[in-house]
Amino acid sequence: MTVISDSSVLQKIKVLEEVISFHEVDESAPFYQEMNTPFTISLSAFHPDSITDSAFSIFTPDVQLNLPALALQRHDRMHRHNCFEFTYILSGNMYQIVEGKRYLYTSGSCCLMNRNTLHTEELSSDYMCIFFSVSSEFIERLTNYGNDMLFPMEQKRFDNLIFHFLEQNMEADHPDCKDFLDFVPRITEKEQKIIVHDIFEKMLSTILNPYYGATYRLQDLFFQLIDILCDSRYYHAEHVTAKSNMESLLFSRIDQILDEHHGRISNKELSQLLNYNGTYLGKIVKKCTGQSLFDYSMNFTMKHAAHLLKSTKKSVSEIASELKFNNRTHFYQIFEKYYQTTPREYRAQQAK
């Protein structure tokens, strides 16, 4: 166990425990985390090869703290809490252990953990993430305590996967469900920074520089975040339970990675990234699509090739090289198979 001797750090831990109460039986068992404020936003940066450079910051309307990761004795232990917790990956890869199952979260992905669902973050990879925790009281404020809103359009904002999930699980006598919502991005990292990161930056700015109406500003930003996560143009959303089929969730991860790499990632690289046997991953793709991993990957590759032909002036040879084709003839053959025309003819057709 790491012993914290720095008095300033000890004082910060004491303040933190006023915001979040930790209830535990012993140091090896899962603990219960009780949030004593309507919401918190936490930033966590973890570097397994340099623990001293890892850090944790927490922001609430009353408290803003920065702590070294070493100060958080419980940060790698299984726990559950009385709030709903959004986890959004800003960069890197994070593995979450949820009710005994291991899930990979890559940059831009997100999950919404239900209350009382046992989970923890695996401290094995470099990542930076945001934890946005909200209480049932905060959700009740958003929904105007069940009363109608002033405008019909406002009422429609509650008709989505996230609010249905929150409302079903916020009652005191709600069933003790072990579940969460999983969100896989369909947008690029650049688009994530413009669309999603900007919301969190505005949230933090509002907390650090509050003004009259800041409460409503935070609520509006929370609505914006929910709107984006529930928009199928931006994210693929899935409800995951302890009994969920892992293959479906894993296929969503495969799909995301193939899209990010334009299909040009080997079975071995995919296996290393997802920490699953390559043959098993190939079987999942075959089961979900009816295609081999290579054939399914080519869908992403040819889609990007067509995009480059339409939107750039790069030569066909340059595009083939960019997409890691050593043999230009092979690139031509596959492209013709998908579009029933050559790359040059396709470009000419799109220019008309």
Side-chain angles (χ1 to χ4, degrees), residues 1 21 42 44 75 79 106 120 141 155 160 187 191 215 228 253 281-282 289 312 314 333:
M1 177 187 294
S21 301
S42 305
S44 178
H75 66 327
H79 62 280
T106 56
T120 191
R141 288 186 189 180
Q155 208 66 35
N160 59 51
I187 52 179
E191 290 170 325
T215 297
I228 289 167
R253 292 280 179 260
L281 295 177
T289 68
T312 74
K314 294 178 180 179
Q333 290 172 342

Side-chain angles (χ1 to χ4, degrees), residues 75-94:
H75 66 327
D76 60 346
R77 283 170 50 195
M78 297 294 288
H79 62 280
R80 55 193 179 87
H81 35 61
N82 67 330
C83 58
F84 299 98
E85 181 181 73
F86 288 85
T87 302
Y88 179 82
I89 311 303
L90 291 167
S91 62
N93 298 315
M94 173 203 279

Side-chain angles (χ1 to χ4, degrees), residues 27-175:
E27 293 183 356
S28 60
F31 65 92
Y32 183 70
Q33 183 173 306
E34 183 179 7
M35 187 172 71
N36 303 316
T37 185
F39 76 91
T40 65
I41 296 179
S42 305
L43 295 177
S44 178
F46 188 78
H47 310 287
D49 296 329
S50 182
I51 302 298
T52 54
D53 293 329
S54 301
F56 178 84
S57 302
I58 186 168
F59 304 87
T60 78
D62 302 313
V63 173
Q64 291 89 47
L65 290 174
N66 296 309
L67 288 163
L70 285 172
L72 303 176
Q73 301 290 345
R74 308 173 183 84
H75 66 327
D76 60 346
R77 283 170 50 195
M78 297 294 288
H79 62 280
R80 55 193 179 87
H81 35 61
N82 67 330
C83 58
F84 299 98
E85 181 181 73
F86 288 85
T87 302
Y88 179 82
I89 311 303
L90 291 167
S91 62
N93 298 315
M94 173 203 279
Y95 288 95
Q96 284 250 43
I97 309 299
V98 185
E99 293 294 334
K101 294 181 180 179
R102 188 171 187 251
Y103 301 90
L104 171 66
Y105 285 88
T106 56
S107 178
S109 57
C110 177
C111 73
L112 169 55
M113 200 66 61
N114 200 353
R115 299 188 299 165
N116 295 314
T117 298
L118 204 60
H119 66 286
T120 191
E121 296 74 49
E122 184 178 284
L123 305 181
S124 62
S125 55
D126 267 278
Y127 66 80
M128 182 179 293
C129 74
I130 289 179
F131 297 107
F132 183 27
S133 302
V134 295
S135 66
S136 294
E137 177 194 353
F138 185 79
I139 303 304
E140 287 176 346
R141 288 186 189 180
L142 288 175
T143 57
N144 198 26
Y145 300 97
N147 299 314
D148 288 340
M149 308 297 278
L150 291 176
F151 301 97
M153 182 175 289
E154 291 181 292
Q155 208 66 35
K156 290 180 181 179
R157 296 187 83 172
F158 302 117
D159 187 17
N160 59 51
L161 178 65
I162 290 179
F163 269 111
H164 291 167
F165 178 82
L166 294 171
E167 290 175 345
Q168 288 167 7
N169 292 287
M170 64 189 287
E171 300 299 330
D173 59 349
H174 78 290

